[in-house]
mmCIF file of all heavy atoms in Angstrom:
data_model
loop_
_atom_site.group_PDB
_atom_site.id
_atom_site.type_symbol
_atom_site.label_atom_id
_atom_site.label_comp_id
_atom_site.label_asym_id
_atom_site.label_seq_id
_atom_site.Cartn_x
_atom_site.Cartn_y
_atom_site.Cartn_z
ATOM 1 N N GLU A 716 -138.121 72.886 133.775
ATOM 2 C CA GLU A 716 -139.020 72.095 134.593
ATOM 3 C C GLU A 716 -138.929 72.443 136.057
ATOM 4 O O GLU A 716 -139.944 72.642 136.751
ATOM 5 C CB GLU A 716 -138.768 70.619 134.372
ATOM 6 C CG GLU A 716 -139.142 70.164 132.971
ATOM 7 C CD GLU A 716 -138.855 68.717 132.705
ATOM 8 O OE1 GLU A 716 -138.451 67.980 133.619
ATOM 9 O OE2 GLU A 716 -138.958 68.299 131.530
ATOM 10 N N PHE A 717 -137.690 72.551 136.590
ATOM 11 C CA PHE A 717 -137.547 72.840 138.000
ATOM 12 C C PHE A 717 -137.959 74.268 138.341
ATOM 13 O O PHE A 717 -138.718 74.506 139.304
ATOM 14 C CB PHE A 717 -136.145 72.562 138.509
ATOM 15 C CG PHE A 717 -136.058 72.744 140.009
ATOM 16 C CD1 PHE A 717 -136.460 71.754 140.854
ATOM 17 C CD2 PHE A 717 -135.561 73.941 140.540
ATOM 18 C CE1 PHE A 717 -136.442 71.930 142.238
ATOM 19 C CE2 PHE A 717 -135.542 74.112 141.913
ATOM 20 C CZ PHE A 717 -135.946 73.089 142.757
ATOM 21 N N PHE A 718 -137.508 75.232 137.600
ATOM 22 C CA PHE A 718 -137.805 76.659 137.844
ATOM 23 C C PHE A 718 -139.064 77.060 137.149
ATOM 24 O O PHE A 718 -139.113 78.042 136.386
ATOM 25 C CB PHE A 718 -136.598 77.534 137.488
ATOM 26 C CG PHE A 718 -135.448 77.379 138.376
ATOM 27 C CD1 PHE A 718 -134.332 76.616 137.974
ATOM 28 C CD2 PHE A 718 -135.443 77.923 139.639
ATOM 29 C CE1 PHE A 718 -133.256 76.469 138.830
ATOM 30 C CE2 PHE A 718 -134.370 77.729 140.517
ATOM 31 C CZ PHE A 718 -133.270 77.006 140.091
ATOM 32 N N GLN A 719 -140.139 76.345 137.408
ATOM 33 C CA GLN A 719 -141.469 76.652 136.868
ATOM 34 C C GLN A 719 -142.428 76.846 138.032
ATOM 35 O O GLN A 719 -142.525 75.947 138.904
ATOM 36 C CB GLN A 719 -141.957 75.520 135.962
ATOM 37 C CG GLN A 719 -143.360 75.681 135.434
ATOM 38 C CD GLN A 719 -143.523 76.876 134.507
ATOM 39 O OE1 GLN A 719 -142.640 77.127 133.662
ATOM 40 N NE2 GLN A 719 -144.605 77.604 134.634
ATOM 41 N N GLY A 720 -143.062 77.996 138.113
ATOM 42 C CA GLY A 720 -143.968 78.262 139.232
ATOM 43 C C GLY A 720 -143.270 78.876 140.392
ATOM 44 O O GLY A 720 -142.219 79.471 140.299
ATOM 45 N N GLU A 721 -143.909 78.705 141.583
ATOM 46 C CA GLU A 721 -143.397 79.335 142.808
ATOM 47 C C GLU A 721 -142.404 78.366 143.513
ATOM 48 O O GLU A 721 -142.688 77.210 143.641
ATOM 49 C CB GLU A 721 -144.547 79.699 143.707
ATOM 50 C CG GLU A 721 -144.112 80.548 144.913
ATOM 51 C CD GLU A 721 -145.275 81.078 145.763
ATOM 52 O OE1 GLU A 721 -146.424 81.090 145.289
ATOM 53 O OE2 GLU A 721 -145.002 81.465 146.900
ATOM 54 N N LEU A 722 -141.332 78.972 143.981
ATOM 55 C CA LEU A 722 -140.301 78.256 144.756
ATOM 56 C C LEU A 722 -139.892 79.089 145.938
ATOM 57 O O LEU A 722 -140.162 80.310 145.973
ATOM 58 C CB LEU A 722 -139.051 77.979 143.879
ATOM 59 C CG LEU A 722 -139.297 77.212 142.604
ATOM 60 C CD1 LEU A 722 -139.221 78.155 141.393
ATOM 61 C CD2 LEU A 722 -138.356 76.096 142.446
ATOM 62 N N LYS A 723 -139.275 78.470 146.933
ATOM 63 C CA LYS A 723 -138.662 79.200 148.042
ATOM 64 C C LYS A 723 -137.284 78.648 148.302
ATOM 65 O O LYS A 723 -136.986 77.524 147.991
ATOM 66 C CB LYS A 723 -139.551 79.074 149.296
ATOM 67 C CG LYS A 723 -139.650 77.675 149.839
ATOM 68 C CD LYS A 723 -140.539 77.623 151.081
ATOM 69 C CE LYS A 723 -140.633 76.211 151.585
ATOM 70 N NZ LYS A 723 -141.465 76.094 152.768
ATOM 71 N N ALA A 724 -136.468 79.527 148.875
ATOM 72 C CA ALA A 724 -135.078 79.129 149.125
ATOM 73 C C ALA A 724 -134.633 79.685 150.475
ATOM 74 O O ALA A 724 -135.102 80.732 150.927
ATOM 75 C CB ALA A 724 -134.184 79.653 148.006
ATOM 76 N N HIS A 725 -133.637 78.983 151.048
ATOM 77 C CA HIS A 725 -132.948 79.395 152.295
ATOM 78 C C HIS A 725 -131.493 79.268 152.027
ATOM 79 O O HIS A 725 -131.013 78.261 151.502
ATOM 80 C CB HIS A 725 -133.397 78.529 153.453
ATOM 81 C CG HIS A 725 -134.847 78.524 153.710
ATOM 82 N ND1 HIS A 725 -135.453 79.471 154.494
ATOM 83 C CD2 HIS A 725 -135.849 77.753 153.248
ATOM 84 C CE1 HIS A 725 -136.742 79.262 154.544
ATOM 85 N NE2 HIS A 725 -137.021 78.215 153.779
ATOM 86 N N VAL A 741 -135.400 83.478 149.997
ATOM 87 C CA VAL A 741 -135.722 83.976 148.686
ATOM 88 C C VAL A 741 -137.052 83.404 148.270
ATOM 89 O O VAL A 741 -137.318 82.200 148.434
ATOM 90 C CB VAL A 741 -134.665 83.547 147.615
ATOM 91 C CG1 VAL A 741 -134.909 84.260 146.320
ATOM 92 C CG2 VAL A 741 -133.259 83.754 148.102
ATOM 93 N N LYS A 742 -137.914 84.251 147.734
ATOM 94 C CA LYS A 742 -139.121 83.823 147.031
ATOM 95 C C LYS A 742 -138.818 83.869 145.568
ATOM 96 O O LYS A 742 -138.256 84.906 145.089
ATOM 97 C CB LYS A 742 -140.321 84.715 147.376
ATOM 98 C CG LYS A 742 -141.588 84.334 146.641
ATOM 99 C CD LYS A 742 -142.718 85.269 146.952
ATOM 100 C CE LYS A 742 -143.920 84.930 146.083
ATOM 101 N NZ LYS A 742 -145.026 85.834 146.329
ATOM 102 N N LEU A 743 -139.120 82.816 144.793
ATOM 103 C CA LEU A 743 -138.845 82.788 143.362
ATOM 104 C C LEU A 743 -140.117 82.470 142.604
ATOM 105 O O LEU A 743 -140.918 81.610 143.085
ATOM 106 C CB LEU A 743 -137.799 81.731 143.023
ATOM 107 C CG LEU A 743 -136.445 81.767 143.793
ATOM 108 C CD1 LEU A 743 -136.490 80.878 144.982
ATOM 109 C CD2 LEU A 743 -135.341 81.421 142.864
ATOM 110 N N ILE A 744 -140.269 83.037 141.444
ATOM 111 C CA ILE A 744 -141.378 82.668 140.545
ATOM 112 C C ILE A 744 -140.770 82.524 139.149
ATOM 113 O O ILE A 744 -140.178 83.454 138.628
ATOM 114 C CB ILE A 744 -142.514 83.663 140.532
ATOM 115 C CG1 ILE A 744 -143.160 83.714 141.948
ATOM 116 C CG2 ILE A 744 -143.543 83.293 139.481
ATOM 117 C CD1 ILE A 744 -144.316 84.703 142.075
ATOM 118 N N GLY A 745 -140.928 81.345 138.551
ATOM 119 C CA GLY A 745 -140.399 81.088 137.203
ATOM 120 C C GLY A 745 -141.498 80.829 136.176
ATOM 121 O O GLY A 745 -142.499 80.158 136.488
ATOM 122 N N GLU A 832 -137.390 65.829 142.434
ATOM 123 C CA GLU A 832 -138.176 66.743 141.580
ATOM 124 C C GLU A 832 -138.595 68.018 142.236
ATOM 125 O O GLU A 832 -138.932 68.952 141.564
ATOM 126 C CB GLU A 832 -139.376 66.001 141.030
ATOM 127 C CG GLU A 832 -140.414 65.616 142.099
ATOM 128 C CD GLU A 832 -141.600 64.840 141.519
ATOM 129 O OE1 GLU A 832 -141.410 64.106 140.546
ATOM 130 O OE2 GLU A 832 -142.674 65.000 142.064
ATOM 131 N N ASN A 833 -138.503 68.093 143.570
ATOM 132 C CA ASN A 833 -138.937 69.271 144.319
ATOM 133 C C ASN A 833 -137.785 70.034 145.004
ATOM 134 O O ASN A 833 -138.065 71.069 145.595
ATOM 135 C CB ASN A 833 -139.965 68.908 145.365
ATOM 136 C CG ASN A 833 -141.232 68.423 144.697
ATOM 137 O OD1 ASN A 833 -141.757 69.038 143.772
ATOM 138 N ND2 ASN A 833 -141.732 67.276 145.134
ATOM 139 N N ARG A 834 -136.555 69.542 145.003
ATOM 140 C CA ARG A 834 -135.454 70.136 145.774
ATOM 141 C C ARG A 834 -134.180 70.232 144.981
ATOM 142 O O ARG A 834 -133.786 69.250 144.296
ATOM 143 C CB ARG A 834 -135.219 69.353 147.065
ATOM 144 C CG ARG A 834 -136.328 69.524 148.051
ATOM 145 C CD ARG A 834 -136.134 68.577 149.264
ATOM 146 N NE ARG A 834 -137.365 68.450 149.950
ATOM 147 C CZ ARG A 834 -138.420 67.722 149.589
ATOM 148 N NH1 ARG A 834 -138.344 66.982 148.537
ATOM 149 N NH2 ARG A 834 -139.530 67.682 150.339
ATOM 150 N N LEU A 835 -133.520 71.349 145.179
ATOM 151 C CA LEU A 835 -132.230 71.599 144.482
ATOM 152 C C LEU A 835 -131.292 72.251 145.481
ATOM 153 O O LEU A 835 -131.689 73.079 146.261
ATOM 154 C CB LEU A 835 -132.494 72.527 143.298
ATOM 155 C CG LEU A 835 -131.300 72.907 142.420
ATOM 156 C CD1 LEU A 835 -131.735 72.911 140.954
ATOM 157 C CD2 LEU A 835 -130.789 74.283 142.782
ATOM 158 N N SER A 854 -130.546 76.197 149.478
ATOM 159 C CA SER A 854 -131.487 75.104 149.294
ATOM 160 C C SER A 854 -132.746 75.680 148.688
ATOM 161 O O SER A 854 -133.380 76.595 149.253
ATOM 162 C CB SER A 854 -131.758 74.453 150.652
ATOM 163 O OG SER A 854 -132.818 73.505 150.473
ATOM 164 N N ILE A 855 -133.150 75.172 147.518
ATOM 165 C CA ILE A 855 -134.302 75.680 146.800
ATOM 166 C C ILE A 855 -135.348 74.556 146.718
ATOM 167 O O ILE A 855 -134.973 73.404 146.386
ATOM 168 C CB ILE A 855 -133.979 76.176 145.372
ATOM 169 C CG1 ILE A 855 -132.844 77.206 145.457
ATOM 170 C CG2 ILE A 855 -135.203 76.729 144.678
ATOM 171 C CD1 ILE A 855 -132.284 77.595 144.086
ATOM 172 N N GLU A 856 -136.618 74.890 146.995
ATOM 173 C CA GLU A 856 -137.653 73.852 146.834
ATOM 174 C C GLU A 856 -138.913 74.449 146.247
ATOM 175 O O GLU A 856 -139.212 75.640 146.410
ATOM 176 C CB GLU A 856 -137.949 73.157 148.163
ATOM 177 C CG GLU A 856 -138.431 74.025 149.268
ATOM 178 C CD GLU A 856 -138.570 73.261 150.570
ATOM 179 O OE1 GLU A 856 -137.582 72.631 150.980
ATOM 180 O OE2 GLU A 856 -139.668 73.304 151.134
ATOM 181 N N LYS A 857 -139.675 73.599 145.520
ATOM 182 C CA LYS A 857 -140.918 74.021 144.950
ATOM 183 C C LYS A 857 -141.949 74.181 146.052
ATOM 184 O O LYS A 857 -141.917 73.463 147.064
ATOM 185 C CB LYS A 857 -141.426 72.953 143.933
ATOM 186 C CG LYS A 857 -140.541 72.896 142.707
ATOM 187 C CD LYS A 857 -141.112 71.975 141.711
ATOM 188 C CE LYS A 857 -140.253 71.982 140.459
ATOM 189 N NZ LYS A 857 -140.976 71.304 139.371
ATOM 190 N N VAL A 858 -142.835 75.139 145.872
ATOM 191 C CA VAL A 858 -143.893 75.403 146.883
ATOM 192 C C VAL A 858 -145.120 74.599 146.466
ATOM 193 O O VAL A 858 -145.461 74.512 145.319
ATOM 194 C CB VAL A 858 -144.233 76.917 146.929
ATOM 195 C CG1 VAL A 858 -145.436 77.172 147.817
ATOM 196 C CG2 VAL A 858 -143.006 77.715 147.383
#
Side-chain angles (χ1 to χ4, degrees):
E716 292 177 8
F717 185 79
F718 290 103
Q719 175 65 40
E721 189 173 342
L722 303 105
K723 64 180 178 179
H725 301 273
V741 189
K742 177 182 175 182
L743 306 96
I744 296 179
E832 66 182 32
N833 295 312
R834 288 172 197 79
L835 180 140
S854 171
I855 306 171
E856 61 185 53
K857 292 185 177 192
V858 174

